[in-house]
Amino acid sequence: MPWYQSRGRIPRKRHTQFRKPDGGLYHEEVFGTEGFSGPYSILYHENPPPRVERYEPHSEVERQQWDDGNHRHRLLKTAAVAGGGDPVNSRRLLMYNDDVALYFSRPTEGMGYFYKNADCDELHFVHEGSGRLDTIFGSVEVREGDYILIPRGCTHQWQLEGPARILIIESHSPVETPHRYRNEYGQHMEHSPYNERDMRPPAEVSPNGEEGIFQVRIKVNDRVMCYYYDFHPFDLVGWDGYLYPWALSIHDFEPITGRLHQPPPVHQTFAGRNYVVCSFVPRKLDYHPDAIPVPYNHSNIDSDEVIYYVAGEFGSRRGVEIGAITVHPRGIPHGPQPGAVEAGIGKEFTNELAVMVDTFRPLKMAEGARELDDPSYPFSWQEKKGQREGFIA
C-alpha cells in the first residue's frame, strides 16, 4: 500500500480550526474507503465540498455481453481499434465479471471536463503516450510504460501530449500491492520486485482559484451523473494520508529469476479481490544446464488468463502482434506453441514486455471484443503453420 504523504498546508491537529488569511475556515473532508476503517486521507478545501450549482443525468453504463456459444482460447487484435476521444469517453469494454472489467482505449485528446469513478478503483497501463494526470491531490506525470492507480472517488482530468494507447482495469475492490511484498508495518520488504522509491505520488498541491462553472462526471451505480460547481474542483490547500493516486513504471519492476522456470506469481505486481495483475519484463532466463526456459503447458482450472502484449518477443507465442490480447479461459490447457520449446533451449535472455490479468471468477466477453476476435487462434497449436482456418504464424 502507499505510505503516508503530506502536501500543502494542513493544521497541526486533525479536526481543529484551520483558518484562511481572511479569518474564515478552510473546509475539512475525510476521504476514505470501507467506512472509517480503510485507508484514508484528510483534505482541506477553499470551498465547501458538497456545494453544487446543479446536477443532471449524463448516461447509463451498459455492459453488453458477447456470447458466441464457444468456450475457447481467444486472440483480440486491438490494432483495429480506431483512435479518437479522451481517455474516458474512448474506452471500449472488452471483458468483465463482478470483480473487474477490462477496457482498451486509444485517446487522442485530453479532457474538457473532470471525472470521478465512485464505483471502482482504476488501474491504467499506458502502453503508448505521455502527458499528465491532474487530480485533486496534485498532478502525476504520465509516461509510456506507466501503471497509473486512481483510487475510487478521486476527481481527475487527463492531459495528453498526443495519441495514446491505454489498457484500463476497473476494479470493484481496492487495487493493492501484494501482501507478501509488505511487512506488518506496510513497508515493502527487501525481496519485493519494486518498492516505495519506485512509486510516484502526486507532486505538490496548489489550490486553483479559477472561477466559472465546472463539470464533474461521476460514475456511480452503473450510471454517469453530471455535477456542476461554481468553483474549480482542485481547490485543496493541503492534504495528508494514505489514499491518493500514484504511478509505477513497468520498467522499474525488477524480475525474479531462478535456475528453473519461475511460475507467474513471481511476476505479480498488483492484487484485487479475485484477480491479480502481473508484469512480464525483460530478464535473464533460467540457468540450470538442462533448463527449459519457455513456460510449460498448464491448465487454468479455476482462473481466466488475459495477456496484453506490449513489446519484444514472447517466446511461447507466435502469430501474436504487439498490442494484441490473448484470453486463455479456465478448463482447457494452453502452453507453448509448436517449436517454441526447442527454440527456447539455450537462450539466456528474453526481451518480452507484457501485462497479465488473472481472474479467479469467469470473465464474460463484451460486445466490444466481437470484431477484434480472431476465431482461428485456437488452432495455432497445430504443427503446421496456418493449417486451420487461415491462422498465420
Side-chain angles (χ1 to χ4, degrees):
M1 295 294 292
W3 65 109
Y4 174 82
Q5 297 285 307
S6 178
R7 297 288 187 274
R9 294 180 292 117
I10 59 175
R12 192 183 71 83
K13 294 283 288 182
R14 302 175 178 183
H15 320 317
T16 59
Q17 297 178 32
F18 182 31
R19 295 196 175 274
K20 304 177 182 180
D22 64 5
L25 285 169
Y26 289 112
H27 301 272
E28 184 183 55
E29 175 192 4
V30 176
F31 177 86
T33 61
E34 299 177 19
F36 289 90
S37 302
Y40 66 97
S41 291
I42 299 180
L43 287 54
Y44 294 90
H45 296 261
E46 290 272 9
N47 305 283
R51 192 176 81 199
V52 62
E53 285 287 293
R54 62 187 176 94
Y55 57 86
E56 62 189 18
H58 178 271
S59 59
E60 296 290 326
V61 177
E62 296 182 359
R63 292 182 172 181
Q64 292 184 308
Q65 183 180 359
W66 169 50
D67 184 359
D68 64 356
N70 294 304
H71 185 80
R72 60 175 172 87
H73 298 314
R74 299 183 185 273
L75 172 65
L76 307 182
K77 297 184 175 181
T78 67
V81 176
D86 64 54
V88 173
N89 64 28
S90 65
R91 297 179 185 181
R92 182 190 190 105
L93 179 62
L94 300 179
M95 59 199 86
Y96 63 96
N97 62 21
D98 289 339
D99 302 308
V100 67
L102 274 65
Y103 298 80
F104 181 74
S105 171
R106 296 191 66 182
T108 56
E109 60 191 41
M111 295 164 57
Y113 57 93
F114 302 86
Y115 184 70
K116 176 196 298 187
N117 190 333
D119 281 334
C120 298
D121 283 18
E122 294 186 358
L123 181 65
H124 296 244
F125 176 75
V126 182
H127 182 180
E128 295 175 355
S130 61
R132 192 179 69 245
L133 179 73
D134 293 333
T135 82
I136 194 170
F137 295 90
S139 296
V140 178
E141 182 184 358
V142 175
R143 304 189 293 246
E144 189 172 291
D146 276 350
Y147 290 105
I148 308 291
L149 176 55
I150 307 175
R152 68 198 60 207
C154 173
T155 303
H156 62 276
Q157 185 180 61
W158 288 85
Q159 305 294 343
L160 296 180
E161 295 175 351
R165 187 188 299 259
I166 305 174
L167 178 72
I168 302 110
I169 301 166
E170 191 181 60
S171 174
H172 285 277
S173 62
V175 178
E176 301 179 336
T177 64
H179 287 283
R180 68 178 182 279
Y181 294 165
R182 294 182 266 126
N183 60 27
E184 61 180 307
Y185 305 102
Q187 184 180 21
H188 279 235
M189 293 187 283
E190 285 294 299
H191 68 270
S192 174
Y194 64 93
N195 57 55
E196 291 82 358
R197 294 188 188 182
D198 301 314
M199 299 154 70
R200 309 194 316 268
E204 192 63 37
V205 68
S206 178
N208 190 321
E210 185 180 347
E211 296 181 352
I213 298 296
F214 302 91
Q215 181 192 102
V216 180
R217 297 181 187 176
I218 304 175
K219 181 179 180 182
V220 62
N221 297 331
D222 287 330
R223 63 166 52 99
V224 177
M225 293 289 300
C226 284
Y227 272 66
Y228 296 88
Y229 299 89
D230 63 355
F231 58 89
H232 196 284
F234 302 157
D235 69 338
L236 293 193
V237 296
W239 64 271
D240 75 333
Y242 285 77
L243 188 60
Y244 49 83
W246 54 277
L248 170 73
S249 174
I250 195 172
H251 303 298
D252 283 330
F253 185 91
E254 302 300 334
I256 298 170
T257 61
R259 275 167 47 89
L260 297 175
H261 184 75
Q262 300 295 297
V266 304
H267 306 290
Q268 188 178 350
T269 313
F270 300 99
R273 183 185 62 225
N274 296 322
Y275 77 92
V276 297
V277 179
C278 299
S279 301
F280 295 99
V281 302
R283 62 194 182 277
K284 180 179 176 60
L285 289 173
D286 321 324
Y287 45 91
H288 186 284
D290 295 325
I292 297 178
V294 170
Y296 34 75
N297 293 296
H298 52 287
S299 290
N300 295 354
I301 301 301
D302 55 4
S303 66
D304 286 358
E305 176 195 279
V306 178
I307 297 182
Y308 178 76
Y309 297 83
V310 179
E313 298 177 358
F314 218 75
S316 60
R317 301 261 73 75
R318 59 181 171 85
V320 176
E321 62 194 18
I322 298 304
I325 297 174
T326 55
V327 184
H328 299 141
R330 66 191 59 220
I332 48 177
H334 70 281
Q337 290 169 320
V341 174
E342 286 288 353
I345 293 175
K347 288 189 175 181
E348 297 182 353
F349 190 83
T350 177
N351 67 343
E352 69 190 20
L353 194 64
V355 174
M356 183 175 79
V357 182
D358 269 9
T359 67
F360 303 119
R361 289 201 285 189
L363 286 166
K364 299 176 182 178
M365 304 304 296
E367 186 62 34
R370 181 195 294 265
E371 65 178 349
L372 309 180
D373 180 62
D374 181 349
S376 66
Y377 178 64
F379 305 114
S380 62
W381 284 269
Q382 294 282 359
E383 291 294 335
K384 295 180 180 179
K385 295 192 293 186
Q387 181 172 336
R388 296 291 297 276
E389 296 191 18
F391 186 86
I392 303 300

